[in-house]
Amino acid sequence: AQKVTQAQTEISVVEKEDVTLDCVYETRDTTYYLFWYKQPPSGELVFLIRRNSFDEQNEISGRYSWNFQKSTSSFNFTITASQVVDSAVYFCALNEGYSTLTFGKGTMLLVSP
Amino acid sequence: EPEVTQTPSHQVTQMGQEVILRCVPISNHLYFYWYRQILGQKVEFLVSFYNNEISEKSEIFDDQFSVERPDGSNFTLKIRSTKLEDSAMYFCASRLGYEQYFGPGTRLTVT
């Protein structure tokens, strides 16, 4: 069975600080996909990134970067120079092949001015 | 850019009433999903639908729930007799490839 653990329930930072959100996953499959979603206070789920199990290259998109390490089953998300607009709940999710998404419990990020 | 839409954005209903939540998936997508998020908790899978039938369902998706694709565009979730604990945000999603695209959600409040 697949499982996603986000151990950090809530993180508070001051604007311009860097912050890393942790995600650890469990799966028996060799083919799987990892995702990060952002849920702002308005409630919708905003897709941030998808990563497949065969691609361990780290990715950078503007202030966002992702560190995928199969050896530790982790897919961590870093926001550089955080901004107040980054305040949201961030979910890590996993699916095996074409199966359904399994979400972690989410990490609430509070960025204060 | 095509997107998944959901109506209504907020539904208030009394316990025991039936509700239908509506979704319009992205037009060329083949797989459809409903997820639920109780306030402050994680997003949980309810059901997946492909080729006009349920392909997978979770333990949450019991006999009071049903899904339907009544025409070529809509995908609905019906809750037959709502309970207080059904209060949650319900997300519809659709996909063609690996990535699921989520709708904005319907907030269901059962009083």
Side-chain angles (χ1 to χ4, degrees), chain A residues 16-35:
Chain A
K16 296 184 185 173
E17 282 185 28
D18 298 348
V19 58
T20 295
L21 310 181
D22 297 334
C23 173
V24 174
Y25 62 91
E26 292 176 31
T27 176
R28 292 186 184 144
D29 271 21
T30 54
T31 302
Y32 53 89
Y33 297 83
L34 294 161
F35 301 79

Side-chain angles (χ1 to χ4, degrees), chain A residues 2-4 32-33 35 93-103, chain B residues 31-35 43-49 55-58 95 98 100 102:
Chain A
Q2 52 194 37
K3 184 179 174 183
V4 176
Y32 53 89
Y33 297 83
F35 301 79
L94 162 74
N95 75 353
E96 296 163 340
Y98 286 102
S99 72
T100 63
L101 276 171
T102 296
F103 284 81
Chain B
Y31 300 83
F32 313 112
Y33 303 83
W34 283 101
Y35 290 83
V43 180
E44 301 173 292
F45 165 72
L46 289 178
V47 66
S48 60
F49 194 84
S55 48
E56 192 177 350
K57 60 183 180 179
S58 72
R95 71 173 176 87
Y98 291 111
Q100 293 184 28
F102 283 83

Side-chain angles (χ1 to χ4, degrees), chain B residues 13-31:
Chain B
T13 189
Q14 288 191 328
M15 200 166 52
Q17 295 295 305
E18 174 182 288
V19 294
I20 297 176
L21 310 182
R22 300 179 194 281
C23 168
V24 179
I26 295 173
S27 62
N28 63 336
H29 285 191
L30 301 176
Y31 300 83

Side-chain angles (χ1 to χ4, degrees), chain A residues 34-97:
Chain A
L34 294 161
F35 301 79
W36 276 95
Y37 287 87
K38 175 182 180 180
Q39 187 174 45
S42 48
E44 73 271 25
L45 285 167
V46 179
F47 167 80
L48 295 177
I49 190 171
R50 172 175 62 87
R51 189 46 114 215
N52 74 54
S53 52
F54 298 109
D55 182 3
E56 280 194 79
Q57 264 195 327
N58 291 329
E59 180 156 340
I60 298 174
S61 175
R63 295 185 297 108
Y64 295 170
S65 61
W66 291 269
N67 183 2
F68 176 30
Q69 295 204 347
K70 283 176 80 168
S71 60
T72 54
S73 297
S74 65
F75 186 44
N76 296 337
F77 173 31
T78 298
I79 302 175
T80 304
S82 58
Q83 300 176 0
V84 172
V85 293
D86 296 327
S87 296
V89 180
Y90 291 86
F91 290 97
C92 181
L94 162 74
N95 75 353
E96 296 163 340

Side-chain angles (χ1 to χ4, degrees), chain B residues 31-101:
Chain B
Y31 300 83
F32 313 112
Y33 303 83
W34 283 101
Y35 290 83
R36 178 182 84 174
Q37 184 185 29
I38 294 171
L39 186 64
Q41 297 187 23
K42 69 177 181 179
V43 180
E44 301 173 292
F45 165 72
L46 289 178
V47 66
S48 60
F49 194 84
Y50 170 71
N51 202 24
N52 283 320
E53 60 183 26
I54 290 174
S55 48
E56 192 177 350
K57 60 183 180 179
S58 72
E59 292 173 354
I60 304 168
F61 194 87
D62 60 24
D63 291 345
Q64 68 161 340
F65 291 95
S66 63
V67 289
E68 197 177 34
R69 188 154 162 82
D71 52 42
S73 59
N74 289 284
F75 179 51
T76 61
L77 174 69
K78 182 192 290 186
I79 310 175
R80 254 178 279 283
S81 177
T82 50
K83 305 171 194 164
L84 293 176
E85 53 265 36
D86 293 327
S87 293
M89 182 79 101
Y90 289 81
F91 291 102
C92 172
S94 70
R95 71 173 176 87
L96 180 62
Y98 291 111
E99 183 186 326
Q100 293 184 28
Y101 292 79

